[in-house]
Amino acid sequence: MPLKDGITALLKAYRLQGKLNEVTVVASWERVMGKAVAMKTQQVYVSNGKLFVRLSSAPLKHELVMAKTRVLDIINAEVGEQVISEVIFL
């Protein structure tokens, strides 16, 4: 059995794939959204399939709220499956 298949089976058996995907979303926030957005981001976390992002810039928050569906698509495309159902900017 190839190592990749073994790890995938292990994650599935222990039901860890969902949590791993959530951690991947948080870890890839800077790379996906860019350095400028990451510098204005104070906190990123996932809870119940929702991505919460605390920003320090009101204009940036407004701009991202307007592009919420695009952000959602980019984040889910990074992971390769539908992990996040909603993005909430705080």
mmCIF file with all atom_site columns, all heavy atoms in Angstrom, residues 11 16-28 46 75 79-84:
data_model
loop_
_atom_site.group_PDB
_atom_site.id
_atom_site.type_symbol
_atom_site.label_atom_id
_atom_site.label_alt_id
_atom_site.label_comp_id
_atom_site.label_asym_id
_atom_site.label_entity_id
_atom_site.label_seq_id
_atom_site.pdbx_PDB_ins_code
_atom_site.Cartn_x
_atom_site.Cartn_y
_atom_site.Cartn_z
_atom_site.occupancy
_atom_site.B_iso_or_equiv
_atom_site.pdbx_formal_charge
_atom_site.auth_seq_id
_atom_site.auth_comp_id
_atom_site.auth_asym_id
_atom_site.auth_atom_id
_atom_site.pdbx_PDB_model_num
ATOM 1   N N   . LEU A 1 11 ? -6.424  8.806  8.448  1.00 0.00 ? 11 LEU A N   1
ATOM 2   C CA  . LEU A 1 11 ? -7.209  10.005 8.735  1.00 0.00 ? 11 LEU A CA  1
ATOM 3   C C   . LEU A 1 11 ? -8.708  9.718  8.692  1.00 0.00 ? 11 LEU A C   1
ATOM 4   O O   . LEU A 1 11 ? -9.474  10.255 9.493  1.00 0.00 ? 11 LEU A O   1
ATOM 5   C CB  . LEU A 1 11 ? -6.860  11.122 7.749  1.00 0.00 ? 11 LEU A CB  1
ATOM 6   C CG  . LEU A 1 11 ? -5.471  11.730 7.896  1.00 0.00 ? 11 LEU A CG  1
ATOM 7   C CD1 . LEU A 1 11 ? -5.190  12.687 6.745  1.00 0.00 ? 11 LEU A CD1 1
ATOM 8   C CD2 . LEU A 1 11 ? -5.332  12.434 9.226  1.00 0.00 ? 11 LEU A CD2 1
ATOM 9   N N   . LEU A 1 16 ? -10.197 12.354 11.310 1.00 0.00 ? 16 LEU A N   1
ATOM 10  C CA  . LEU A 1 16 ? -9.378  13.553 11.497 1.00 0.00 ? 16 LEU A CA  1
ATOM 11  C C   . LEU A 1 16 ? -9.290  14.424 10.245 1.00 0.00 ? 16 LEU A C   1
ATOM 12  O O   . LEU A 1 16 ? -8.743  15.517 10.297 1.00 0.00 ? 16 LEU A O   1
ATOM 13  C CB  . LEU A 1 16 ? -7.959  13.154 11.917 1.00 0.00 ? 16 LEU A CB  1
ATOM 14  C CG  . LEU A 1 16 ? -7.838  12.472 13.270 1.00 0.00 ? 16 LEU A CG  1
ATOM 15  C CD1 . LEU A 1 16 ? -6.423  11.978 13.479 1.00 0.00 ? 16 LEU A CD1 1
ATOM 16  C CD2 . LEU A 1 16 ? -8.239  13.412 14.373 1.00 0.00 ? 16 LEU A CD2 1
ATOM 17  N N   . GLN A 1 17 ? -9.826  13.938 9.126  1.00 0.00 ? 17 GLN A N   1
ATOM 18  C CA  . GLN A 1 17 ? -9.691  14.675 7.866  1.00 0.00 ? 17 GLN A CA  1
ATOM 19  C C   . GLN A 1 17 ? -10.343 16.057 7.943  1.00 0.00 ? 17 GLN A C   1
ATOM 20  O O   . GLN A 1 17 ? -9.787  17.035 7.458  1.00 0.00 ? 17 GLN A O   1
ATOM 21  C CB  . GLN A 1 17 ? -10.314 13.873 6.710  1.00 0.00 ? 17 GLN A CB  1
ATOM 22  C CG  . GLN A 1 17 ? -10.067 14.489 5.356  1.00 0.00 ? 17 GLN A CG  1
ATOM 23  C CD  . GLN A 1 17 ? -8.594  14.545 4.986  1.00 0.00 ? 17 GLN A CD  1
ATOM 24  O OE1 . GLN A 1 17 ? -7.893  13.547 5.105  1.00 0.00 ? 17 GLN A OE1 1
ATOM 25  N NE2 . GLN A 1 17 ? -8.121  15.677 4.546  1.00 0.00 ? 17 GLN A NE2 1
ATOM 26  N N   . GLY A 1 18 ? -11.505 16.167 8.569  1.00 0.00 ? 18 GLY A N   1
ATOM 27  C CA  . GLY A 1 18 ? -12.184 17.458 8.680  1.00 0.00 ? 18 GLY A CA  1
ATOM 28  C C   . GLY A 1 18 ? -11.364 18.464 9.458  1.00 0.00 ? 18 GLY A C   1
ATOM 29  O O   . GLY A 1 18 ? -11.218 19.624 9.058  1.00 0.00 ? 18 GLY A O   1
ATOM 30  N N   . LYS A 1 19 ? -10.811 18.047 10.579 1.00 0.00 ? 19 LYS A N   1
ATOM 31  C CA  . LYS A 1 19 ? -9.995  18.943 11.397 1.00 0.00 ? 19 LYS A CA  1
ATOM 32  C C   . LYS A 1 19 ? -8.712  19.318 10.661 1.00 0.00 ? 19 LYS A C   1
ATOM 33  O O   . LYS A 1 19 ? -8.264  20.469 10.731 1.00 0.00 ? 19 LYS A O   1
ATOM 34  C CB  . LYS A 1 19 ? -9.669  18.261 12.737 1.00 0.00 ? 19 LYS A CB  1
ATOM 35  C CG  . LYS A 1 19 ? -9.080  19.184 13.744 1.00 0.00 ? 19 LYS A CG  1
ATOM 36  C CD  . LYS A 1 19 ? -10.064 20.279 14.122 1.00 0.00 ? 19 LYS A CD  1
ATOM 37  C CE  . LYS A 1 19 ? -9.507  21.143 15.211 1.00 0.00 ? 19 LYS A CE  1
ATOM 38  N NZ  . LYS A 1 19 ? -10.324 22.309 15.472 1.00 0.00 ? 19 LYS A NZ  1
ATOM 39  N N   . LEU A 1 20 ? -8.115  18.375 9.956  1.00 0.00 ? 20 LEU A N   1
ATOM 40  C CA  . LEU A 1 20 ? -6.914  18.662 9.174  1.00 0.00 ? 20 LEU A CA  1
ATOM 41  C C   . LEU A 1 20 ? -7.211  19.700 8.100  1.00 0.00 ? 20 LEU A C   1
ATOM 42  O O   . LEU A 1 20 ? -6.414  20.610 7.873  1.00 0.00 ? 20 LEU A O   1
ATOM 43  C CB  . LEU A 1 20 ? -6.365  17.383 8.543  1.00 0.00 ? 20 LEU A CB  1
ATOM 44  C CG  . LEU A 1 20 ? -5.118  17.549 7.691  1.00 0.00 ? 20 LEU A CG  1
ATOM 45  C CD1 . LEU A 1 20 ? -3.945  18.016 8.537  1.00 0.00 ? 20 LEU A CD1 1
ATOM 46  C CD2 . LEU A 1 20 ? -4.777  16.255 6.985  1.00 0.00 ? 20 LEU A CD2 1
ATOM 47  N N   . ASN A 1 21 ? -8.364  19.596 7.454  1.00 0.00 ? 21 ASN A N   1
ATOM 48  C CA  . ASN A 1 21 ? -8.753  20.577 6.444  1.00 0.00 ? 21 ASN A CA  1
ATOM 49  C C   . ASN A 1 21 ? -8.931  21.962 7.058  1.00 0.00 ? 21 ASN A C   1
ATOM 50  O O   . ASN A 1 21 ? -8.554  22.971 6.460  1.00 0.00 ? 21 ASN A O   1
ATOM 51  C CB  . ASN A 1 21 ? -10.037 20.145 5.738  1.00 0.00 ? 21 ASN A CB  1
ATOM 52  C CG  . ASN A 1 21 ? -9.829  18.971 4.811  1.00 0.00 ? 21 ASN A CG  1
ATOM 53  O OD1 . ASN A 1 21 ? -8.713  18.674 4.412  1.00 0.00 ? 21 ASN A OD1 1
ATOM 54  N ND2 . ASN A 1 21 ? -10.900 18.288 4.477  1.00 0.00 ? 21 ASN A ND2 1
ATOM 55  N N   . GLU A 1 22 ? -9.518  22.037 8.254  1.00 0.00 ? 22 GLU A N   1
ATOM 56  C CA  . GLU A 1 22 ? -9.696  23.316 8.933  1.00 0.00 ? 22 GLU A CA  1
ATOM 57  C C   . GLU A 1 22 ? -8.346  23.950 9.265  1.00 0.00 ? 22 GLU A C   1
ATOM 58  O O   . GLU A 1 22 ? -8.148  25.147 9.085  1.00 0.00 ? 22 GLU A O   1
ATOM 59  C CB  . GLU A 1 22 ? -10.518 23.135 10.212 1.00 0.00 ? 22 GLU A CB  1
ATOM 60  C CG  . GLU A 1 22 ? -11.957 22.780 9.958  1.00 0.00 ? 22 GLU A CG  1
ATOM 61  C CD  . GLU A 1 22 ? -12.744 22.521 11.231 1.00 0.00 ? 22 GLU A CD  1
ATOM 62  O OE1 . GLU A 1 22 ? -12.160 22.618 12.340 1.00 0.00 ? 22 GLU A OE1 1
ATOM 63  O OE2 . GLU A 1 22 ? -13.939 22.232 11.119 1.00 0.00 ? 22 GLU A OE2 1
ATOM 64  N N   . VAL A 1 23 ? -7.415  23.147 9.741  1.00 0.00 ? 23 VAL A N   1
ATOM 65  C CA  . VAL A 1 23 ? -6.074  23.647 10.054 1.00 0.00 ? 23 VAL A CA  1
ATOM 66  C C   . VAL A 1 23 ? -5.376  24.115 8.784  1.00 0.00 ? 23 VAL A C   1
ATOM 67  O O   . VAL A 1 23 ? -4.677  25.133 8.785  1.00 0.00 ? 23 VAL A O   1
ATOM 68  C CB  . VAL A 1 23 ? -5.253  22.556 10.784 1.00 0.00 ? 23 VAL A CB  1
ATOM 69  C CG1 . VAL A 1 23 ? -3.795  22.946 10.904 1.00 0.00 ? 23 VAL A CG1 1
ATOM 70  C CG2 . VAL A 1 23 ? -5.849  22.277 12.144 1.00 0.00 ? 23 VAL A CG2 1
ATOM 71  N N   . THR A 1 24 ? -5.587  23.417 7.692  1.00 0.00 ? 24 THR A N   1
ATOM 72  C CA  . THR A 1 24 ? -5.004  23.805 6.408  1.00 0.00 ? 24 THR A CA  1
ATOM 73  C C   . THR A 1 24 ? -5.529  25.166 5.957  1.00 0.00 ? 24 THR A C   1
ATOM 74  O O   . THR A 1 24 ? -4.775  25.993 5.454  1.00 0.00 ? 24 THR A O   1
ATOM 75  C CB  . THR A 1 24 ? -5.303  22.741 5.337  1.00 0.00 ? 24 THR A CB  1
ATOM 76  O OG1 . THR A 1 24 ? -4.787  21.488 5.772  1.00 0.00 ? 24 THR A OG1 1
ATOM 77  C CG2 . THR A 1 24 ? -4.685  23.107 4.004  1.00 0.00 ? 24 THR A CG2 1
ATOM 78  N N   . VAL A 1 25 ? -6.824  25.406 6.162  1.00 0.00 ? 25 VAL A N   1
ATOM 79  C CA  . VAL A 1 25 ? -7.424  26.694 5.794  1.00 0.00 ? 25 VAL A CA  1
ATOM 80  C C   . VAL A 1 25 ? -6.770  27.823 6.574  1.00 0.00 ? 25 VAL A C   1
ATOM 81  O O   . VAL A 1 25 ? -6.364  28.843 6.010  1.00 0.00 ? 25 VAL A O   1
ATOM 82  C CB  . VAL A 1 25 ? -8.950  26.681 6.035  1.00 0.00 ? 25 VAL A CB  1
ATOM 83  C CG1 . VAL A 1 25 ? -9.522  28.086 6.004  1.00 0.00 ? 25 VAL A CG1 1
ATOM 84  C CG2 . VAL A 1 25 ? -9.649  25.794 5.014  1.00 0.00 ? 25 VAL A CG2 1
ATOM 85  N N   . VAL A 1 26 ? -6.646  27.654 7.877  1.00 0.00 ? 26 VAL A N   1
ATOM 86  C CA  . VAL A 1 26 ? -6.061  28.697 8.721  1.00 0.00 ? 26 VAL A CA  1
ATOM 87  C C   . VAL A 1 26 ? -4.593  28.915 8.364  1.00 0.00 ? 26 VAL A C   1
ATOM 88  O O   . VAL A 1 26 ? -4.128  30.061 8.259  1.00 0.00 ? 26 VAL A O   1
ATOM 89  C CB  . VAL A 1 26 ? -6.222  28.340 10.216 1.00 0.00 ? 26 VAL A CB  1
ATOM 90  C CG1 . VAL A 1 26 ? -5.452  29.299 11.096 1.00 0.00 ? 26 VAL A CG1 1
ATOM 91  C CG2 . VAL A 1 26 ? -7.700  28.326 10.599 1.00 0.00 ? 26 VAL A CG2 1
ATOM 92  N N   . ALA A 1 27 ? -3.863  27.835 8.154  1.00 0.00 ? 27 ALA A N   1
ATOM 93  C CA  . ALA A 1 27 ? -2.434  27.939 7.854  1.00 0.00 ? 27 ALA A CA  1
ATOM 94  C C   . ALA A 1 27 ? -2.168  28.580 6.490  1.00 0.00 ? 27 ALA A C   1
ATOM 95  O O   . ALA A 1 27 ? -1.133  29.230 6.305  1.00 0.00 ? 27 ALA A O   1
ATOM 96  C CB  . ALA A 1 27 ? -1.789  26.560 7.913  1.00 0.00 ? 27 ALA A CB  1
ATOM 97  N N   . SER A 1 28 ? -3.086  28.437 5.558  1.00 0.00 ? 28 SER A N   1
ATOM 98  C CA  . SER A 1 28 ? -2.850  28.962 4.210  1.00 0.00 ? 28 SER A CA  1
ATOM 99  C C   . SER A 1 28 ? -3.483  30.336 3.988  1.00 0.00 ? 28 SER A C   1
ATOM 100 O O   . SER A 1 28 ? -3.466  30.837 2.867  1.00 0.00 ? 28 SER A O   1
ATOM 101 C CB  . SER A 1 28 ? -3.380  27.971 3.176  1.00 0.00 ? 28 SER A CB  1
ATOM 102 O OG  . SER A 1 28 ? -4.777  27.834 3.294  1.00 0.00 ? 28 SER A OG  1
ATOM 103 N N   . VAL A 1 46 ? -11.539 28.590 12.608 1.00 0.00 ? 46 VAL A N   1
ATOM 104 C CA  . VAL A 1 46 ? -12.682 27.886 12.030 1.00 0.00 ? 46 VAL A CA  1
ATOM 105 C C   . VAL A 1 46 ? -13.493 27.286 13.161 1.00 0.00 ? 46 VAL A C   1
ATOM 106 O O   . VAL A 1 46 ? -12.941 26.691 14.085 1.00 0.00 ? 46 VAL A O   1
ATOM 107 C CB  . VAL A 1 46 ? -12.222 26.775 11.062 1.00 0.00 ? 46 VAL A CB  1
ATOM 108 C CG1 . VAL A 1 46 ? -13.403 26.011 10.513 1.00 0.00 ? 46 VAL A CG1 1
ATOM 109 C CG2 . VAL A 1 46 ? -11.385 27.350 9.943  1.00 0.00 ? 46 VAL A CG2 1
ATOM 110 N N   . ILE A 1 75 ? -10.797 29.908 -0.773 1.00 0.00 ? 75 ILE A N   1
ATOM 111 C CA  . ILE A 1 75 ? -10.407 29.107 0.391  1.00 0.00 ? 75 ILE A CA  1
ATOM 112 C C   . ILE A 1 75 ? -10.724 27.631 0.162  1.00 0.00 ? 75 ILE A C   1
ATOM 113 O O   . ILE A 1 75 ? -9.894  26.758 0.410  1.00 0.00 ? 75 ILE A O   1
ATOM 114 C CB  . ILE A 1 75 ? -11.114 29.621 1.665  1.00 0.00 ? 75 ILE A CB  1
ATOM 115 C CG1 . ILE A 1 75 ? -10.646 31.028 2.019  1.00 0.00 ? 75 ILE A CG1 1
ATOM 116 C CG2 . ILE A 1 75 ? -10.923 28.666 2.828  1.00 0.00 ? 75 ILE A CG2 1
ATOM 117 C CD1 . ILE A 1 75 ? -9.203  31.136 2.422  1.00 0.00 ? 75 ILE A CD1 1
ATOM 118 N N   . VAL A 1 79 ? -8.121  23.980 -0.385 1.00 0.00 ? 79 VAL A N   1
ATOM 119 C CA  . VAL A 1 79 ? -8.176  22.697 0.308  1.00 0.00 ? 79 VAL A CA  1
ATOM 120 C C   . VAL A 1 79 ? -8.550  21.574 -0.649 1.00 0.00 ? 79 VAL A C   1
ATOM 121 O O   . VAL A 1 79 ? -8.124  20.437 -0.477 1.00 0.00 ? 79 VAL A O   1
ATOM 122 C CB  . VAL A 1 79 ? -9.182  22.763 1.488  1.00 0.00 ? 79 VAL A CB  1
ATOM 123 C CG1 . VAL A 1 79 ? -9.282  21.438 2.204  1.00 0.00 ? 79 VAL A CG1 1
ATOM 124 C CG2 . VAL A 1 79 ? -8.787  23.851 2.455  1.00 0.00 ? 79 VAL A CG2 1
ATOM 125 N N   . GLY A 1 80 ? -9.357  21.896 -1.654 1.00 0.00 ? 80 GLY A N   1
ATOM 126 C CA  . GLY A 1 80 ? -9.747  20.887 -2.629 1.00 0.00 ? 80 GLY A CA  1
ATOM 127 C C   . GLY A 1 80 ? -11.101 20.272 -2.362 1.00 0.00 ? 80 GLY A C   1
ATOM 128 O O   . GLY A 1 80 ? -11.512 19.364 -3.072 1.00 0.00 ? 80 GLY A O   1
ATOM 129 N N   . GLU A 1 81 ? -11.799 20.749 -1.359 1.00 0.00 ? 81 GLU A N   1
ATOM 130 C CA  . GLU A 1 81 ? -13.157 20.285 -1.078 1.00 0.00 ? 81 GLU A CA  1
ATOM 131 C C   . GLU A 1 81 ? -13.905 21.351 -0.284 1.00 0.00 ? 81 GLU A C   1
ATOM 132 O O   . GLU A 1 81 ? -13.307 22.312 0.181  1.00 0.00 ? 81 GLU A O   1
ATOM 133 C CB  . GLU A 1 81 ? -13.159 18.957 -0.328 1.00 0.00 ? 81 GLU A CB  1
ATOM 134 C CG  . GLU A 1 81 ? -12.485 18.973 1.025  1.00 0.00 ? 81 GLU A CG  1
ATOM 135 C CD  . GLU A 1 81 ? -12.500 17.602 1.673  1.00 0.00 ? 81 GLU A CD  1
ATOM 136 O OE1 . GLU A 1 81 ? -13.458 17.309 2.385  1.00 0.00 ? 81 GLU A OE1 1
ATOM 137 O OE2 . GLU A 1 81 ? -11.551 16.839 1.439  1.00 0.00 ? 81 GLU A OE2 1
ATOM 138 N N   . GLN A 1 82 ? -15.210 21.161 -0.147 1.00 0.00 ? 82 GLN A N   1
ATOM 139 C CA  . GLN A 1 82 ? -16.062 22.133 0.541  1.00 0.00 ? 82 GLN A CA  1
ATOM 140 C C   . GLN A 1 82 ? -15.878 21.995 2.054  1.00 0.00 ? 82 GLN A C   1
ATOM 141 O O   . GLN A 1 82 ? -16.527 21.196 2.701  1.00 0.00 ? 82 GLN A O   1
ATOM 142 C CB  . GLN A 1 82 ? -17.537 21.895 0.155  1.00 0.00 ? 82 GLN A CB  1
ATOM 143 C CG  . GLN A 1 82 ? -18.507 22.891 0.722  1.00 0.00 ? 82 GLN A CG  1
ATOM 144 C CD  . GLN A 1 82 ? -18.427 24.253 0.075  1.00 0.00 ? 82 GLN A CD  1
ATOM 145 O OE1 . GLN A 1 82 ? -17.990 24.386 -1.049 1.00 0.00 ? 82 GLN A OE1 1
ATOM 146 N NE2 . GLN A 1 82 ? -18.845 25.260 0.790  1.00 0.00 ? 82 GLN A NE2 1
ATOM 147 N N   . VAL A 1 83 ? -14.980 22.790 2.619  1.00 0.00 ? 83 VAL A N   1
ATOM 148 C CA  . VAL A 1 83 ? -14.691 22.756 4.050  1.00 0.00 ? 83 VAL A CA  1
ATOM 149 C C   . VAL A 1 83 ? -15.419 23.884 4.761  1.00 0.00 ? 83 VAL A C   1
ATOM 150 O O   . VAL A 1 83 ? -16.002 23.694 5.821  1.00 0.00 ? 83 VAL A O   1
ATOM 151 C CB  . VAL A 1 83 ? -13.166 22.885 4.303  1.00 0.00 ? 83 VAL A CB  1
ATOM 152 C CG1 . VAL A 1 83 ? -12.860 22.943 5.778  1.00 0.00 ? 83 VAL A CG1 1
ATOM 153 C CG2 . VAL A 1 83 ? -12.430 21.735 3.647  1.00 0.00 ? 83 VAL A CG2 1
ATOM 154 N N   . ILE A 1 84 ? -15.398 25.065 4.159  1.00 0.00 ? 84 ILE A N   1
ATOM 155 C CA  . ILE A 1 84 ? -15.977 26.261 4.754  1.00 0.00 ? 84 ILE A CA  1
ATOM 156 C C   . ILE A 1 84 ? -17.294 26.566 4.071  1.00 0.00 ? 84 ILE A C   1
ATOM 157 O O   . ILE A 1 84 ? -17.371 26.612 2.847  1.00 0.00 ? 84 ILE A O   1
ATOM 158 C CB  . ILE A 1 84 ? -15.008 27.464 4.596  1.00 0.00 ? 84 ILE A CB  1
ATOM 159 C CG1 . ILE A 1 84 ? -13.646 27.140 5.197  1.00 0.00 ? 84 ILE A CG1 1
ATOM 160 C CG2 . ILE A 1 84 ? -15.595 28.722 5.222  1.00 0.00 ? 84 ILE A CG2 1
ATOM 161 C CD1 . ILE A 1 84 ? -13.653 26.848 6.674  1.00 0.00 ? 84 ILE A CD1 1
#
